Structure formats: C-alpha cells, structure tokens
Amino acid sequence: MKISGSQVVIECLIEQGVDTVFGYPGGNILNIYDALYKNSDRIRHILTAHEQAAAHAADGYARSTGKVGVCMATSGPGATNLVTGIATAYMDSSPIVAITCNVATPLLGKDTFQEIDITGVTLPITKHNFMVKNVNELASTIREAFAIASSGRPGPVLIDIPKEITAAEVEFEPVSKSEGMEKALTASHANLKRVFSVSVPTDEEIKAAAELINASQRPVIYAGGGVVISGAEKELLAFAEKAEIPVSESLMARAAFPSDHPLCTWMVGMHGTKASNMAITESDLIIALGSRFSDRVIGDPSKFGLNAKVFHIDIDPAEINKNIPTDGSLVGDIKEILNRLIPLIKETKRPDWMERIQTWKSEVPSTYNRQPENSVNPKFICECINKVAGDDTFITTEVGQHQMWTAQFYPFKKPRTFVTSGGLGTMGFGTGAAMGIQIGNPKARVVHIAGDGSFRMNCNELATIQHYNLPVVIVVVNNGALGNVRMWQRLFYGKRFSQTTLDFGPDWCKLAEAYGIKGYKASNAAEFEKVFTQAFKSEEPAVIDVTVDIDEMVLPMVPGGKPIYDMIMSLSKDVMS
C-alpha cells in the first residue's frame, strides 16, 4: 500500500509495540502530528510542557517497563531541548528513540529558520543516529533504530527526518516486530553489526570464573545498573545466597537486591555505607556485575580494592579494564552468565566474613537518627514514604542531597522501583521520569522525591501532571538551598556560600494550586506523616513542601579523589557552626 512518510512513522511505531509517545509539536514536524491526530485511537501522545521533559518521560517509561521509550520534537530549539534528556539516557544505558523533523533537504546547510544539525549535535550522546533523506529508507531506518536501542547495552537512538520526507508517498509493507528486527539485522551496515552482537562466554571461561569465586575467602559483589537492565535480580539473589557473598550496590542498582536482606550492604562509593566501602576495601575478590567503576564509586583508583582481585562481568566489552584493571572478565548478558555460573558455585558459609560485615553495618553517622526542631530528618521522610506507599511504589528523584538520602535510606525491595539520573546527574530529570513511569504503569503509584533546587527546573510539568490527572505525589525536600553544592562549600570552600542559598520563592503550595493541584506543607515529622498519608491515599496529584534543615549533611562522605575507606562519618562543631 502507498502511504505518506508521516504515516510510515506511525505504522512502524505501532509495529514496534509503541503505545505512547511524548513530545511537543512545531512547524517541521506538523505532518507527523497530523498523522498522530488521525491515529489517536491507535497510539497515545502525551504533550509535555517542555521537550526536555518529553525525553525524560520516555526515559522513565523505558526504565520502568523495559520497553523502548519514544519522544518527538520539531527542528532547531525543539530538537536541542531534547539533548539533555538524550544524554541522560545515554549515560544510564536507557533505550529511547527520539524522532525529530528538520527543515526540507534543499534548505539544509543554509542557516534556515529553525535549522540545526541535530545528528551532529547528538553524535557523542547516542548509540547511533540517522538522518533519513530518502523516503524509501524510512521504514527500515525506524526498525533499525529500535533494534539498536534495545539490543546489547541499551541506549538512545535519534532519527532526524527532513520535512518533505514526511509528506512524500511510498510503498509500505507491514511486518511483525520480530520480522522488523530480522530485517534490521540483515540490512544493517557492517559498521553497525557490533551494536547488535552479544558475546557468549565459553564453558571453559564460565568454569574458570567459578573456580576463582569458589577459591575466594572474602568475596563481595559490586552490583551495577546492568543487573537491572538484564533483569537478573533473581539470579543475583540466588548467586549471593548460595555462596554467602555480601552485595554492595551502585546508585543505579539500589533496587536490584532486597534492602532488608542480611547480605545487602546498600550503596557503595562517595556516599556509600561503611559496610559497602569497607567490604570492597577488605575483600579478596570483587565481583563486578554490570557496573562501570564510576569515579563516584571507586574514589582514588590507585587505592580501590587493594587487597582484592577484580572479576568483571558486563555486556559491553568497552567497560572491561576501562577504569579499573581486572584479573578476569566475562563479556555477555548478566542474567544468562549467572544462570550458567550458579550450578558451578559451591554452597558456602563465611561466618567470620559476615561477622565483620555486620559490625560495619552497625556503624552509621549520628545524623541518621537526629530529629531537629521545625524540620524533618531525611531518613524519616524516606522511611515514612515506604511505610505508607509500600514496596511496589515507584520512587523517582531529581539530583542532589535528596537523591543521596533516598539512595541511603529508602528500603527498596522490588526491581525497577528506583529511577534516578546516575551518570549525568541531571537536575530536572525526575519529574518527567515520574510522568513517564506513571503512564507506562497506570495501575502502579509513583512518588517523586525532589529537591527545591531541582524542582525549580521542571515545575512547569505540573501542567502536564494535572492535565492527564497523573496521581504522582511530589515531595519537595525543601532546605532553601542547593544543598549538595552548599555542603561542598561548607567543607572545602571556607563556608563561602556563593549562589547556593534559595531564600526567594516560590511558595510551592500556591504554585501547585495555581496548576490545579493540591499543595501541603510539613515542618515536623508528625505533620509530614499526616499530610503524606492524606496525599497518597487521595490517589490524585499532590505537592508536599517538607522543611529540611539547610545544613543537614549527607554522611558518610568520601571527599573527591580520596580512597573510599577514607570516610567522613561525623563533623566537628566548628565545621557546622
């Protein structure tokens, strides 16, 4: 059948199982939006208040569902407004497809109104990108984009389509999703083959890995976001329990292992627990699963795991030996590798090692249980949210102190229930992500924990939340400051609080009410528990402004460049005064 390029886009999205796209229209993408209008019974479009939120919403949708998220924008500033969201997805290996429409081909390269070389702009932050200059290649390009985004180590792919391509007619042959993937693999250029291929370790390599693990006395697992992406949470649990190996988690893996499990040592790194950091330091074997040894995890690389061999399992061969030299590795899908490893692992008990782990777990900063007047302790906020909302609720954050407190204190027990920006550290990520999660999981609930600094960057999305009646509860952890930066200024810049005090509006409750959303305030623990319970049980959108002390700290803390065993556990009065 002969259809327009814009209809090809719709047919290919539906073919790939897409039910929702997030975006914002503009002149050069009008043909696609016209096709969306005509097919509104087949595919849903969510209009965000800003293109960046569309990218973050597609990202949140992808991370929570395991499917590819889709966002759209017009040329020029519409396309560049997607860039931060695309980069966020790239750093955290999240599969999204971004579709932009450029000026007509004859106008490219002539500084045409709202022209931008978006493929050039996004080249370093996409797994691959395309500009489609021939309508006959449009369907195959879209299919290839989805195959690339979801295969191997997932990531974002951008498709830029000049306007006349969306209007041109072409013969279109419908195919199934699996046929589309097969066609994409067959048609893929030779230099793209690597993005589809996944290594499969030999039986000898698996056996050697098992022997290394079985020989260790003080092993520790360093779980990364790849465990979640692979869906290997059950395998991780079985592996850790069989060999009695403690599990430390990167920020991206905080929901990969049950927080209440005796083997869980929670987060590792700059703001990691003493148990995680010391287990890494004192272990004789670090088993890294789907992790990239970020600087925020390893601290001083020359002093990371000095007593340990390092064994790294990852789907991306580029990560092996990139930041930390390894003593062995397996490249492939973590879930499949663990399933092959577990039968070869000896059932082991390590009483002496576990006793040391439990001792370290008991050593926590005194700030954990402090309850100051006229403000709420962050630990209480996290535990209260969990008590009321339950373990199935999705938790999102922005970036800053509130994000670290959530990672430190929230007792995650279910996979994929924690969604945050790790690699890029994007302030402004969480509200859009929360919208995408809620839309992708309509029967679930989402609580978004935001800092007052980050929420300034995306509070316009309250319009989107209200319009689509998304029952997202936003908890604004309000310390009247850019708390993380202020903390560094206190510790390392002589208390020169340059441009980090936010003592000027808005009134978050009034702002919420201006958007037609209920606002609540809380300045002590009892008030917070009362208003959060009320807001959550209303099953409507809500904003809660909860007061936190401006100088509340995130401890433990490893100063930048220091080894992860060099932790600040408490601060003297002169530092805090």
Side-chain angles (χ1 to χ4, degrees):
M1 59 179 175
K2 210 165 196 178
I3 59 176
S4 69
S6 56
Q7 188 64 31
V8 169
V9 173
I10 302 302
E11 296 299 334
C12 285
L13 290 178
I14 293 170
E15 171 189 298
Q16 293 296 321
V18 175
D19 52 26
T20 305
V21 298
F22 305 88
Y24 203 96
N28 285 313
I29 201 171
L30 276 178
N31 289 330
I32 289 180
Y33 270 81
D34 192 48
L36 281 167
Y37 181 89
K38 295 172 182 176
N39 292 273
S40 58
D41 60 330
R42 303 172 67 203
I43 191 166
R44 185 185 188 191
H45 180 275
I46 301 297
L47 177 65
T48 56
H50 191 283
E51 292 92 347
Q52 182 175 333
H56 292 324
D59 190 349
Y61 179 99
R63 297 194 204 197
S64 62
T65 64
K67 299 191 292 185
V68 177
V70 180
C71 57
M72 293 181 171
T74 195
S75 63
T80 58
N81 281 344
L82 292 177
V83 167
T84 298
I86 293 170
T88 302
Y90 181 75
M91 290 291 282
D92 290 343
S93 304
S94 182
I96 70 171
V97 169
I99 298 173
T100 57
C101 286
N102 219 317
V103 301
T105 304
L107 299 176
L108 290 170
K110 297 182 178 180
D111 293 334
T112 305
F113 177 69
Q114 290 196 332
E115 178 197 357
I116 196 76
D117 177 12
I118 194 61
T119 55
V121 170
T122 60
L123 184 62
I125 56 167
T126 51
K127 197 172 175 188
H128 194 71
N129 63 27
F130 302 87
M131 173 175 269
V132 183
K133 293 185 178 180
N134 184 337
V135 71
N136 293 298
E137 298 174 357
L138 182 57
S140 62
T141 299
I142 295 171
R143 290 163 183 156
E144 193 170 340
F146 274 82
I148 293 171
S150 58
S151 64
R153 180 179 182 171
V157 178
L158 179 133
I159 309 169
D160 194 32
I161 313 171
K163 187 171 184 179
E164 87 278 8
I165 302 298
T166 65
E169 291 201 331
V170 65
E171 285 291 337
F172 177 76
E173 179 187 352
V175 299
S176 68
K177 182 178 179 180
S178 59
E179 289 173 325
M181 174 71 85
E182 187 176 342
K183 284 178 179 286
L185 289 169
T186 303
S188 177
H189 302 296
N191 66 338
L192 287 181
K193 292 294 185 184
R194 61 180 179 80
V195 304
F196 296 108
S197 60
V198 176
S199 295
V200 178
T202 65
D203 290 341
E204 290 73 19
E205 288 174 322
I206 295 288
K207 183 180 178 182
E211 289 174 352
L212 180 66
I213 294 166
N214 289 334
S216 65
Q217 301 298 312
R218 302 183 309 281
V220 62
I221 293 169
Y222 159 35
V227 173
V228 179
I229 294 169
S230 177
E233 294 90 353
K234 290 182 180 179
E235 289 74 15
L236 170 60
L237 179 62
F239 175 50
E241 286 184 336
K242 186 174 184 181
E244 197 169 46
I245 305 175
V247 178
S248 64
E249 303 162 314
S250 73
L251 177 66
M252 302 307 297
R254 267 297 289 119
F257 198 80
S259 295
D260 59 350
H261 196 287
L263 292 172
C264 186
T265 60
W266 295 49
M267 192 166 67
V268 63
M270 177 175 282
H271 291 297
T273 63
K274 185 165 186 178
S276 286
N277 288 4
M278 292 308 298
I280 290 284
T281 301
E282 297 295 330
S283 70
D284 62 0
L285 177 65
I286 299 168
I287 306 164
L289 304 177
S291 50
R292 56 191 181 84
F293 292 93
S294 159
D295 61 297
R296 288 296 177 101
V297 167
I298 65 175
D300 181 349
S302 68
K303 297 178 181 177
F304 179 80
L306 282 176
N307 303 302
K309 291 182 178 179
V310 175
F311 194 84
H312 193 177
I313 303 175
D314 204 286
I315 200 167
D316 185 355
E319 290 298 335
I320 308 298
N321 295 310
K322 186 176 82 174
N323 293 330
I324 290 291
T326 64
D327 298 277
S329 63
L330 292 172
V331 176
D333 182 83
I334 294 167
K335 184 182 180 78
E336 293 179 7
I337 289 174
L338 287 181
N339 273 321
R340 293 172 64 192
L341 260 179
I342 290 169
L344 303 179
I345 297 298
K346 292 179 181 177
E347 197 161 331
T348 308
K349 293 297 179 183
R350 309 177 193 274
D352 293 342
W353 183 224
M354 291 310 302
E355 183 179 351
R356 294 176 70 184
I357 296 292
Q358 294 306 318
T359 299
W360 289 323
K361 286 176 77 169
S362 68
E363 297 178 34
V364 297
S366 59
T367 54
Y368 278 27
N369 298 308
R370 189 174 71 92
Q371 198 59 264
E373 293 183 8
N374 302 317
S375 64
V376 186
N377 185 288
K379 185 170 183 283
F380 177 84
I381 293 172
C382 293
E383 292 173 347
C384 179
I385 291 172
N386 178 253
K387 182 176 75 172
V388 174
D391 297 332
D392 293 321
T393 295
F394 288 93
I395 302 297
T396 61
T397 74
E398 300 295 343
V399 168
Q401 284 184 308
H402 67 280
Q403 176 193 33
M404 293 297 100
W405 288 323
T406 303
Q408 287 182 332
F409 301 137
Y410 202 92
F412 295 102
K413 298 183 183 69
K414 299 288 184 72
R416 292 188 183 270
T417 52
F418 181 43
V419 176
T420 193
S421 170
L424 197 63
T426 305
M427 295 175 71
F429 166 80
T431 305
M435 298 188 309
I437 294 168
Q438 189 66 79
I439 288 163
N441 304 269
K443 294 182 180 179
R445 293 297 303 276
V446 182
V447 174
H448 176 42
I449 302 174
D452 54 320
S454 290
F455 195 48
R456 291 169 183 267
M457 297 189 176
N458 57 30
C459 58
N460 53 337
E461 294 304 328
L462 289 173
T464 311
I465 291 170
Q466 189 278 331
H467 176 70
Y468 294 100
N469 193 32
L470 305 178
V472 176
V473 178
I474 300 174
V475 178
V476 181
V477 179
N478 189 352
N479 59 3
L482 297 175
N484 221 29
V485 186
R486 179 185 172 91
M487 183 172 69
W488 281 62
Q489 289 172 335
R490 173 177 294 281
L491 293 173
F492 310 118
Y493 290 86
K495 305 178 190 176
R496 296 183 292 277
F497 301 122
S498 176
Q499 305 303 313
T500 51
T501 303
L502 304 178
D503 55 357
F504 52 93
D507 182 314
W508 295 115
C509 290
K510 289 182 179 178
L511 181 68
E513 289 162 5
Y515 281 103
I517 293 174
K518 178 69 175 175
Y520 303 82
K521 283 186 183 291
S523 58
N524 59 56
E527 286 179 355
F528 179 73
E529 185 165 11
K530 177 182 177 182
V531 299
F532 180 78
T533 302
Q534 183 180 342
F536 189 80
K537 291 186 176 180
S538 74
E539 297 188 0
E540 296 178 347
V543 173
I544 301 173
D545 179 358
V546 54
T547 304
V548 171
D549 187 85
I550 193 170
D551 289 318
E552 189 73 51
M553 304 294 283
V554 182
L555 298 177
M557 179 181 182
V558 177
K562 297 288 186 179
I564 62 170
Y565 55 78
D566 190 358
M567 290 167 276
I568 298 174
M569 298 291 287
S570 62
L571 296 172
S572 61
K573 289 184 178 180
D574 63 307
V575 172
M576 293 304 299
S577 61

